[in-house]
Structures are given as C-alpha cells and as structure tokens.
Amino acid sequence: MEIREYLRQLGKRAWLLFLVPLVAAGAVGLWQITKPANFTATAVVVAHPSAREVGSPIQYSNSFNAAITSDAVVNAVARKARISAQDVSDGLVAATSAVNSYSLKVTFQGTSKSAAAVVPADAGRRALHLLVAPIIASSENALEGAKSDSAKAAAALAVFDKAAGQVVTKDVYEAKAAEVRSLTAAAANAAVVPPGSSAAAAADHANRAAALRAAAAQSQQELDKLAATLSRRTPLSDALNRATTRAAAASASLTSAKAEDASFDDPRAIVVGSVQAQSKRPTVVKYAGLAFVAAFVLMVGVFLLLGRQSDSDAADTEQ
C-alpha cells in the first residue's frame, strides 16, 4: 500500500485515532485528580551551633543534612507527625537560604496537611540538638577527666606536703630569701664602726655583726632546704594547676554547649512558614499530555500494522 493510501485509511479512522488518546489522557488526568493532595511547608532554621564547632557554612550545611536525614531524627519526627518514617525521608529537604549563610531552609512535602505543619520545624530542631550532642558529650568527658586528674594531683601534693612538714610555696621561699638578704645587709651595716668610736662600741658592733651573720647563715640553710623542697613540689603543684585550668575550661565549654542546646528550643530559633496546598494542574497536564502522545503514537502504529497486514492478505489472494 502506498503512502497516499495509508494516509487515506488513517483519515477514515481519524475519529478513532484521536478518541483513544483523548480517553487515555482523560483517564490519566482523572487518576491524578483523585490522588491525595500534596502539601508543602517550609521552616528557616536561624539558630546554629557556633562557627568554631561546625566550621564553614558549607561544612555546616553538609553536617546539618546528615543530621536531619539520620534515622534518629527521621524516626522521632515520624512518631510526632504520625506518618511513616519513609514519608518523612522522602519529603524532607534542607538547603542553605543564602550564599555563605548559616541559615538553612527546611522544606517538607507530603499528603498530610497536619504533618506538613509539624515536620520542618521539628526536624530542624532535632537536627540542631543532634549536632550539639557530641559537643556536650565531649565537654562532659573532658570535665570528668580534668576533675579526676585534679583530684589525683591534689592527693599527691597533700602527701608530699605532709611528708615535708610544711607547705612550701614560692611565696614562702621568697619570704625566706628576703629574710636572708635583710640579715646579710644588717650584718654588713653592724660591722661598720663609726670613726672615733670607743673600743667598747667597736666591740659591740663586732658582736652584733657576728650575731647577725650567724642568723643569716642559719636562714640561708633554711632557704636551701626550702629550695630543695620547692623544686620537688613545683611539678606536683604545676600538675594540679594544669588540671584545674583544664577543668575550668571544660566546665565553661559544657555550660556554653548546654546553653546553646537550650536556645534551640526557643521559638525564635526557627521561623515557621504556613502550609501551602500544591496545585494539581501542572501534574495533571503533564501526565495527561504524556498519555495522549503515547496513545496517539500507539494508534498510528496499530493502523500502519493493520494496513500492512491488509496488503499482505491482498497479495496472497492475487497469487
């Protein structure tokens, strides 16, 4: 059959060529219309852990996405929203709200309007808590370790001081050193006899100088003992100071992390948008159009095949 004949045959069945695609498009469109409506809601997560804890905005965005899609967050949000975890996972998306910004936009799309009102903000808040949880745990561990080291250092220092019979600090050493210097200077001054002094006065000066030198020598011996004791005590006291400093830093870090964690529950930490119902028109038009085109192509193919079969049957008849 020639092309012209094919076209003539198609023209005779033009109503069927368009009717079937129209029916297919109508059926698909109706199916799309009867499907449950989709609802979309967005929340902007304004609060965030400190930059030193989460790094650059890009690093923070990656960490936040990992947290918000984690099983812990998804399952908890699903329970609160009363939908399946799969629905939460499929409909939840997080992205930066602006370039180089720590603010993140969390969007949820699903068939439940009540769930859409809950999921974005709840997921964002849980993700923030999840991000700061390791920081809190790390600070707690650091604080406990520093407290333990501090207690051990304090106990070692107490044992040393008890054995030494006194607490030898740098201030005690400096006070004894000042005493030695004072006695030495006094002995030197006492040894100076003013011109014209009597023999008795000169003898008195000599006696006082000798007594002061003896006192200075005694104080010097005590100073030497203090120096030896202080040299052994200093590493112990330094260890205690280091542990105490670490404990103070860990305590401050823990307090800051807990305060940060509590701030995420502030309503101002997340700006919640309204729930919007998505229009079905674009989806209906898209799938109905695809159905029409597919059915039209199929019908054309069927007619062509029927035409070829008719030619084949005619050829057999002539033979």
Side-chain angles (χ1 to χ4, degrees), residues 91-106:
L92 196 60
V93 177
T96 54
S97 59
V99 178
N100 292 327
S101 172
Y102 284 96
S103 295
L104 296 171
K105 184 164 63 175
V106 179

Side-chain angles (χ1 to χ4, degrees), residues 32 55 60 78 157 175 185 198 245-246 248 270 276:
Q32 289 293 327
Y60 171 55
L157 193 59
S198 65
T245 301
R246 281 173 39 229
I270 297 178
Q276 302 291 331

Side-chain angles (χ1 to χ4, degrees), residues 71-89:
D71 290 342
V73 170
V74 169
N75 291 334
V77 172
R79 286 193 296 270
K80 184 171 183 178
R82 298 181 182 278
I83 57 177
S84 70
Q86 189 63 49
D87 286 342
V88 174
S89 181

